[in-house]
Amino acid sequence: MGQHTILVSTQTPLFRFDGEGQGGPAGPDLPNHRLSPGGVCRMVLPTLQNLRNQGWMKQAYWYSLQPGAPAQVDLDGGSIQLRHIDMPSEELQAYGRSKEKLWNDIHGLPSQRFSGDDFRQYTRYNARTADALLEHAGDLDVAYIHDFQLLQVGALLGLAAPCVMRWHVPFNPQLIPAYTRHWMLRVMEDFDAVMVSTRRDLQGFVDAGFHGKVRQVYPHINPDDWPDTSPTKIAALEAEWNLKPDTRVFLLVARMDPMKRQDLAIRAFARIHKEDPNTRLVLVGNGSFSGKLGGHQGKGKSAEWREKLQWIVAELEVTNAVRFAHWIPDGLLAAAYARAEAVLLTSDIEGFGLTPLEAWRYGRVPIVSTGCGAAEIVVHGNNGLLFEAGKEESLAEAMRVILTDRTAAERMGEAGRITLPNFTASRVNPTIRGILDEAIEGYRSH
């Protein structure tokens, strides 16, 4: 097919900048920056790099929402250019309310109040993104758009370019209010194709009567992004976290959000800790990037949730056994994965969840809620353990298996290592490339 120019858009940027943006082109060694946590960026960058290495991609422009960041950051010799879209603070706050309303509707949560002006700013963000993409219309081959924050971009690009949507969150039409669902289906039909993460979500689109093209592609990681660890690094982690060499550690890596059900993990762990005081629970994660976009006053959702979790920890008398690790760099997180007995994914509902793949990278056992998309690739008792979503005792029982049967835990961890190559960029990208090619060919044929 030759070399292509691809435009990517995600709400969350690849990097977070802790200082003021400096403007102009910059390299990845720009000071005061770090990789954004979360699954979208960890999937998109390896996808682009793999497409480039395979000779499919000539140039990528990646647009995301990040006020105050440099206008442009060049990666990989400029073959991937990060561009940052700016919006005034008051518009961001209104956009944030509209986005949160959609998030709650998608997950079956009570709808937050918002106004027509709030939705105007959601539309304005989509229009700014589409306008930025259209600047490249002369040499653009395909646009690759990510998630519900950018639902209107497909229609706005219109006849100028083919456009593919990657849908990362769950899609259960029974959870979504009818009016929101009807609107979402209409705007998603303006994309040349929609990619979903799981068979569950594919079935959801079918059940909802979606008239567009929908394809299922499992999420993936690039194992090379996760550094090897060593006994020295693990010993340093133990010293920092005050762990004895024989302490049994359960790890949960997720943003601080009620959706992630850290409270369920704490309550299940408290049962385990009474049976085995030599156990610890480590919670890694801060708030989401989008939670800070509008410059909200006060503590914010993540801080309020952490306070509630700390209250639960105190009430259950496990304060000395539960560690809130906040955000930690990949090198330290790699040591945490390697040191853990098991990695928990406890959300009642989750589009997918990459932490089971990251656990397999280090030969560790994922314990996954049946409400998470990743449950589709975990074979219970073979490469991980499943527990009934929202059920404290079910989670505690899975944790007991890890503590009482080391042989089974080692066997499941090794099976996970064997499973992981099926969920890497190199394995998944031919399918993604085929979907992009189909969109390009369909556009050119008209």
Side-chain angles (χ1 to χ4, degrees), residues 272 385 396-406 408-409 412:
I272 296 298
L385 294 171
E397 182 56 36
M399 296 166 77
R400 286 190 192 99
V401 171
I402 299 300
L403 294 176
T404 59
D405 195 338
R406 286 183 182 269
M412 286 187 280

Side-chain angles (χ1 to χ4, degrees), residues 378-418:
V378 174
V379 180
H380 182 71
N382 179 288
N383 58 11
L385 294 171
L386 300 175
F387 73 93
E388 189 175 353
K391 300 297 183 180
E392 178 184 320
E393 177 52 35
S394 181
L395 173 56
E397 182 56 36
M399 296 166 77
R400 286 190 192 99
V401 171
I402 299 300
L403 294 176
T404 59
D405 195 338
R406 286 183 182 269
T407 300
E410 291 176 1
R411 174 176 48 77
M412 286 187 280
E414 185 56 32
R417 287 186 194 271
I418 297 170

Side-chain angles (χ1 to χ4, degrees), residues 51-73:
L51 290 173
R52 181 203 60 207
N53 294 341
Q54 294 296 317
W56 186 92
M57 186 191 88
K58 169 179 62 177
Q59 179 68 51
Y61 300 96
W62 182 343
Y63 284 86
S64 54
L65 182 60
Q66 185 167 205
Q72 178 178 323
V73 177

Side-chain angles (χ1 to χ4, degrees), residues 70-92:
Q72 178 178 323
V73 177
D74 292 342
L75 301 178
D76 296 346
S79 64
I80 301 173
Q81 292 186 11
L82 308 181
R83 307 286 184 91
H84 299 122
I85 293 174
D86 200 355
M87 288 179 71
S89 177
E90 63 275 10
E91 292 184 10
L92 284 171

Side-chain angles (χ1 to χ4, degrees), residues 87-100 114-115 117-122 294 296:
M87 288 179 71
S89 177
E90 63 275 10
E91 292 184 10
L92 284 171
Q93 292 184 37
Y95 159 75
R97 289 189 294 270
S98 189
K99 179 188 72 71
E100 285 297 311
F114 84 118
S115 67
D117 189 62
D118 291 343
F119 192 71
R120 178 187 178 199
Q121 302 310 327
Y122 174 93
H296 302 290

Side-chain angles (χ1 to χ4, degrees), residues 217-239:
V217 183
Y218 281 120
H220 58 274
I221 66 170
N222 181 8
D224 292 339
D225 288 342
W226 289 97
D228 292 331
T229 189
S230 67
T232 301
K233 293 177 182 178
I234 293 174
L237 175 78
E238 290 175 337

